[in-house]
């Protein structure tokens, strides 16, 4: 299994720190609003990463934080005349609704920044003791980037470049170096605060992630994930703080997902093309959004448009259609008749061909989590099931069940076809009619047999008489 590692800028074979165990951290949302379409991408692709690792029999611990104290939350709370806690709680709930809709599994641990303040203070104290942090006259504590030689490695920037960029955006005259970033912010009137050795204040955003990783996963983790926009400064700063505080590497693999564009333009409020996941879900449903998010390789940009969403919807219906036909065929084989001889050469060949899809699925997913390739394999499977397994009806129940399980296996890793729709089964009434018709045929009562066949046709059950007996037939679609 290989992943493209932003840290080394190349694809690397994945080796976990402990055999068969994987520790993953994903930067979570700042809970001050509904999540936007761009937020759905890391949620979906790193959920696939987790599902795939579990599929490959790794024991995964997946941590995603909630940033529940931040300038934006404070601003929203003031706007609405409520506490920051109330805003954070509300949007945490809304986040979970969207995550559930997108079929994103709950993280094993979902820590909040405010739940870990004590550990953050301890973390900063350690950096102070080691000389990696300093307090300014205004009571803020900064990280001393000049002391960390590898600063800029993740985002591939030289110290000169970083300084030039930081000078433009200089936010505090009291910093020693324009690149230094805040670890602890002194409290301003009306803001929530916590006590610390440097006065009352609150943690800086970057510090929150570093501390939560250390507290909930340990000093070193296997994979750190997030959106490409977080590479700099957020992840660069996480590395600097953690590695200076702990004296160890923070994460072995850094995975970053690409952007979501809207009609080939960058999504932004000023361009008036800013959509929340909720808005899009109300229009198209959640599942097509998930499908869109995994339809391209996670590192490449994807494009959203109404047309693209319709295509995602039709792709999903093709998959659901095959799933429903398999459900019905398995049910028919259980209740009425299972065709074919289990040991025939044709059966073995069919199974062998189905297994080739599994090998193909693993091959593409092992190649840096190529979900686009995995969807192609899923459609290859569906094509073969439709054109061979379901059209011929020479296969045993075992092969039908195996096809159904394989479809479930691949779609389960990708997190699609999860709709709660009941699987299609032969109704009791249809079952009785089919059996009556078999009886009529045996008695050579062809008039009655035809009558019953037409009744079944009205119910959507198409029968075909073969030398081997009656089988279920699906119309071409
Ligand atoms: Zn983070």
């Amino acid at each position: 299994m290989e992943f493209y590692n932003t840290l080394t800028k190349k694809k690397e074979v994945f080796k976990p720190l402990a055999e068969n165990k994987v520790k993953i951290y994903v930067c979570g949302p700042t809970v001050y609003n509904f999540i936007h379409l761009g937020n759905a991408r890391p949620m979906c692709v790193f959920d696939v990463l987790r599902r795939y690792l579990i599929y490959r029999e790794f024991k995964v611990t997946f941590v995603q934080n909630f940033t529940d104290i931040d300038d934006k939350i404070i601003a929203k709370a003031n706007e609405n005349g409520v506490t920051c806690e109330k805003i954070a709680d509300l949007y945490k709930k809304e986040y979970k609704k969207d995550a559930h809709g997108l079929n994103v599994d709950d993280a094993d641990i979902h820590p909040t920044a405010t739940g870990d303040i004590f550990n953050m203070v301890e973390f900063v104290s350690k950096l102070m003791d080691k000389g990696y942090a300093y307090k300014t006259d205004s009571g803020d504590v900064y990280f001393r980037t000049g002391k960390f030689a590898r600063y800029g490695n993740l985002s591939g920037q030289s110290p000169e470049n970083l300084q030039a960029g930081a000078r433009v955006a200089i936010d505090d005259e009291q910093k020693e170096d324009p690149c230094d970033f805040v670890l602890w912010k002194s409290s301003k009137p009306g803001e929530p605060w916590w006590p610390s050795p440097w006065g009352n204040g609150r943690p800086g955003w970057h510090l929150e992630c570093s501390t939560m990783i250390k507290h909930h996963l340990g000093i070193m983790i296997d994979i750190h994930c997030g959106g490409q926009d977080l590479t700099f400064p957020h992840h660069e700063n996480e590395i600097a703080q953690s590695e200076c505080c702990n004296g160890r590497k923070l994460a072995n693999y850094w995975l970053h997902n690409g952007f979501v564009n809207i009609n080939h333009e960058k999504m932004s409020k000023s361009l008036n093309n800013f959509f929340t996941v909720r808005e899009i879900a109300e229009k198209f449903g959640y599942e097509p959004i998930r499908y869109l998010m995994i339809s391209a390789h996670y590192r490449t940009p994807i494009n959203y448009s109404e047309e693209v969403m319709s295509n995602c919807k039709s792709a999903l219906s093709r998959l659901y259609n095959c799933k429903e036909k398999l459900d019905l065929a398995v049910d028919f084989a259980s209740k009425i008749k299972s065709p074919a001889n289990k040991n025939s050469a044709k059966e073995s060949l069919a199974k062998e061909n189905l297994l080739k899809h599994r090998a193909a699925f693993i091959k593409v997913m092992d190649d840096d989590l190529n979900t686009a390739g995995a969807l192609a394999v899923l459609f290859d499977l569906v094509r073969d099931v439709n054109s061979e397994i379901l059209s011929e009806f020479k296969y045993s129940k075992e092969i039908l069940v195996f096809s159904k399980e394989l479809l479930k296996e691949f779609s389960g890793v990708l997190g699609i076809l999860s709709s709660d729709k009941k699987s299609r089964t032969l109704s009791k009434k249809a079952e009785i009619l089919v059996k009556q018709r078999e009886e009529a045929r045996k008695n050579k009562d062809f008039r009655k047999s035809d009558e019953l066949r037409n009744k079944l046709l009205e119910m959507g059950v198409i029968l075909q008489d073969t030398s081997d007996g009656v089988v279920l037939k699906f119309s071409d679609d």
Side-chain angles (χ1 to χ4, degrees), residues 55-265:
Y55 173 70
R56 298 297 307 278
E57 296 180 337
F58 287 100
K59 195 181 170 301
V60 178
T61 311
F62 193 94
V63 178
Q64 188 198 31
N65 73 301
F66 283 121
T67 294
D68 61 346
I69 184 71
D70 175 89
D71 290 342
K72 288 171 186 151
I73 297 175
I74 295 172
K76 185 107 181 189
N78 289 340
E79 228 172 80
N80 291 277
V82 294
T83 61
C84 289
E85 210 182 341
K86 190 143 191 191
I87 293 293
D89 281 349
L90 170 66
Y91 289 108
K92 238 189 285 175
K93 272 195 203 112
E94 297 298 352
Y95 172 88
K96 286 189 175 177
K97 255 188 228 169
D98 285 330
H100 180 76
L102 292 168
N103 198 25
V104 170
D105 282 336
D106 241 355
D108 296 306
I109 309 169
H110 248 321
T112 56
T114 57
D116 262 310
I117 301 275
F118 176 80
N119 296 313
M120 290 172 198
V121 170
E122 196 183 77
F123 198 105
V124 178
S125 298
K126 201 153 182 194
L127 288 172
M128 283 290 237
D129 292 346
K130 288 184 160 185
Y132 286 111
Y134 58 92
K135 185 185 162 186
T136 63
D137 293 339
S138 50
D140 299 323
V141 180
Y142 282 96
F143 183 86
R144 193 170 268 137
T145 47
K147 232 188 142 185
F148 181 57
R150 292 190 299 282
Y151 194 69
N153 271 11
L154 181 75
S155 52
Q157 302 184 77
S158 66
E160 297 74 36
N161 257 347
L162 286 167
Q163 289 214 333
R167 254 183 227 109
V168 178
I170 195 149
D171 50 356
D172 189 337
E173 294 299 325
Q174 296 176 336
K175 289 202 283 192
E176 287 176 6
D177 182 313
C179 292
D180 293 353
F181 56 90
V182 73
L183 295 166
W184 187 261
K185 290 182 188 180
S186 60
S187 71
K188 294 189 187 78
E191 287 184 359
W193 56 267
W194 288 263
S196 85
W198 321 284
N200 298 337
R202 59 189 165 97
W205 171 41
H206 315 302
L207 176 76
E208 296 175 4
C209 284
S210 280
T211 309
M212 286 187 264
I213 291 171
K214 187 176 180 180
H215 185 208
H216 298 281
L217 284 169
I219 283 176
M220 263 188 98
I221 62 168
D222 294 289
I223 308 175
H224 194 310
C225 313
Q228 187 188 307
D229 51 329
L230 295 183
T231 313
F232 184 84
H234 184 54
H235 290 161
E236 200 78 72
N237 293 351
E238 276 188 41
I239 291 176
Q241 300 159 150
S242 292
E243 302 197 1
C244 292
C245 178
N246 306 327
R248 293 270 296 278
K249 196 174 175 184
L250 172 59
N252 274 335
Y253 303 86
W254 286 81
L255 271 54
H256 290 100
N257 65 274
F259 292 118
V260 177
N261 294 321
I262 310 289
N263 293 313
H264 300 288
E265 277 185 316

Side-chain angles (χ1 to χ4, degrees), residues 290-341:
R290 171 132 187 158
Y291 188 93
L292 170 69
M293 296 301 155
I294 61 166
S295 62
H297 185 273
Y298 73 92
R299 282 189 289 120
T300 57
I302 46 170
N303 188 51
Y304 164 90
S305 69
E306 300 226 332
E307 194 194 341
V308 167
M309 288 308 282
S310 308
N311 294 342
C312 291
K313 265 189 108 149
S314 7
L316 279 165
S317 0
R318 283 205 298 282
L319 297 174
Y320 269 112
N321 189 273
C322 178
K323 181 177 177 256
E324 283 170 20
K325 287 198 288 193
L326 275 172
D327 284 344
L328 193 57
V330 168
D331 199 50
F332 190 87
S334 313
K335 289 174 180 164
I336 312 289
K337 172 171 195 329
S338 174
N341 172 4

